[in-house]
Amino acid sequence: MLDRTTVLADTARILDIDVDELDPSASLVDQGLDSVRLMALVEQWRSAGVEVDFVDLASAPDLEQWIALLTRG
């Protein structure tokens, strides 16, 4: 399971920006996320043992929804 800090840090890293530049309520597509970067995140999180689905994340491309999905216990 991921925590909020990890989701934010990993997303900022893949977008090549600082965490404080992320807008958790804005579309990640508008912040530079594309399918290649999303797939890289999915593979990273799967490698860490998180069950995550590309389609689930792509259909809700904002951090608040991702955090809710990825940190649920």
Side-chain angles (χ1 to χ4, degrees), residues 10-42:
D10 291 347
T11 303
R13 181 191 50 75
I14 205 79
L15 295 175
D16 198 29
I17 60 175
D18 291 329
V19 171
D20 60 352
E21 294 179 66
L22 285 172
D23 181 349
S25 62
S27 168
L28 287 165
V29 173
D30 293 341
Q31 297 181 72
L33 185 71
D34 57 26
S35 60
V36 173
R37 290 178 174 159
L38 177 54
M39 196 61 190
L41 281 173
V42 168

